[in-house]
Amino acid sequence: MATVAVLGTGTMGEPIARNLVRAGFDVRVWNRTREKAEPLAEDGATIGDTAAEAAQGAGFVLTLLADADSTAETVEEVAFADGAVWVQMATVGVDGAERLLELAREKGVAFVDAPVLGTRKPAEEGELVVLAAGPDDALDRCAPLFEAIGQKTRRLGPAPNGSKLKVVVNLWLLAVTEGGAEALALAEALGLDPREFLATIEGSQIDTPYLHLKGEAMLERRLEPSFKLKLAAKDAGLAVEAASRAGVETRVARAVQEAFEAADEQGHGDEDMAAVYYAAKRS
């Protein structure tokens, strides 16, 4: 099996690296905070002291870092092996993905833009959806990796189409979360049992399983992060940025961004994104 370097072993990078080990890949990992990478050694991964060390000689280098700036800074240190593929899997936005594509050209490495849909639990269970964009030959080579970590891969043409679709999906997802938070808060404020709202829409054409997942988390205050609110706020900003650049008016997206930023300012940034509920409830 090929050697795969995973740079960034946070909420998504750790389970992705673990599933690649289980699929038989020779996996090397690196993280700025080494302690977050160390549990992967028990699964059989090799921990690098630097990103350059982890990536040395690897056929595939996966980056799962916080944003485009940290990704670019890390990759600047990497000397890619001949024929290697750089697989960018973080949510970095359209502008960020274009910057990273240019960096790949400068380094002479094949670039696959492949952000994923899903949070920690789907990542642990290998049920992510991979939004893959790049040269056909590189995508063909990446297919076994994507099969090891996801339930489905969408091939979307040239990079950065993966990141373009990711901001589109995120806009919808964050709007559903914020809309659900406001509906539940309004039900409570009107003296209703907010679960009557969830029960009333259940199974109807306006229902969505995701709303029940996040709605119950809000009502039960189950806020152990599957995806941190501060990262959701970042993603909302990336959607607004992409829309502005494309000439699309995003009144809802701006309001959603403001709500997540307000909840972050209230101290909920490291909790699950369902904590946006507190920005609506206000008490």
Side-chain angles (χ1 to χ4, degrees):
M1 274 285 193
T3 299
V4 181
V6 178
L7 308 183
T9 58
T11 300
M12 302 298 286
E14 180 190 6
I16 284 174
R18 184 170 288 112
N19 283 333
L20 289 170
V21 172
R22 291 172 178 168
F25 291 95
D26 174 17
V27 178
R28 304 175 192 163
V29 298
W30 168 84
N31 196 73
R32 276 194 173 88
T33 305
R34 183 184 174 92
E35 289 78 11
K36 290 185 178 180
E38 286 178 345
L40 289 164
E42 299 176 6
D43 294 280
T46 301
I47 301 175
D49 290 325
T50 65
E53 178 184 325
Q56 186 175 8
F60 300 91
V61 177
L62 278 56
T63 51
L64 292 119
L65 298 154
D67 51 34
D69 289 342
S70 58
T71 302
E73 180 183 348
T74 298
V75 170
E76 288 282 8
E77 305 172 8
V78 172
F80 289 94
D82 290 343
V85 179
W86 171 14
V87 188
Q88 193 299 113
M89 305 194 78
T91 303
V92 297
V94 178
D95 288 353
E98 289 180 346
R99 285 169 48 204
L100 298 177
L101 174 58
E102 183 57 33
L103 177 58
R105 288 173 177 150
E106 293 171 4
K107 284 186 162 283
V109 63
F111 181 78
V112 170
D113 178 41
V116 296
L117 301 182
T119 53
R120 185 174 182 89
K121 184 177 179 182
E124 291 173 340
E125 297 175 352
E127 295 183 350
L128 297 169
V129 176
V130 183
L131 306 179
D136 285 338
D137 58 341
L139 293 176
D140 289 343
R141 292 176 57 196
C142 290
L145 279 74
F146 296 155
E147 289 171 4
I149 67 173
Q151 61 171 318
K152 180 168 65 174
T153 299
R154 298 283 298 163
R155 291 181 61 150
L156 300 167
N161 282 357
S163 287
K164 288 179 180 179
L165 186 55
K166 182 65 188 291
V167 298
V168 171
V169 173
N170 276 356
L171 172 54
W172 177 85
L173 184 69
L174 296 170
V176 168
T177 306
E178 168 58 12
E182 291 186 15
L184 292 170
L186 177 59
E188 286 188 310
L190 294 175
L192 297 171
D193 178 351
R195 285 188 172 82
E196 287 293 341
F197 160 62
L198 296 176
T200 298
I201 67 168
E202 188 171 11
S204 72
Q205 291 181 332
I206 62 171
D207 193 15
T208 170
Y210 185 80
L211 177 57
H212 291 272
L213 176 69
K214 290 303 179 185
E216 287 297 333
M218 294 171 191
L219 295 175
E220 295 180 11
R221 309 301 193 260
R222 289 188 284 101
L223 299 174
E224 181 69 22
S226 62
F227 190 74
K228 290 184 179 181
L229 181 140
K230 63 184 178 184
L231 297 179
K234 177 210 75 171
D235 289 354
L238 293 175
V240 170
E241 178 184 272
S244 176
R245 176 179 167 182
V248 174
E249 182 59 58
T250 50
R251 298 174 182 86
V252 171
R254 290 198 306 272
V256 168
Q257 180 184 11
E258 290 173 4
F260 278 93
E261 289 176 346
D264 190 10
E265 290 169 3
Q266 291 171 354
H268 300 289
D270 287 322
E271 296 175 344
D272 188 77
M273 61 186 287
V276 73
Y277 169 78
Y278 290 108
K281 190 170 176 58
R282 295 186 180 178
S283 63

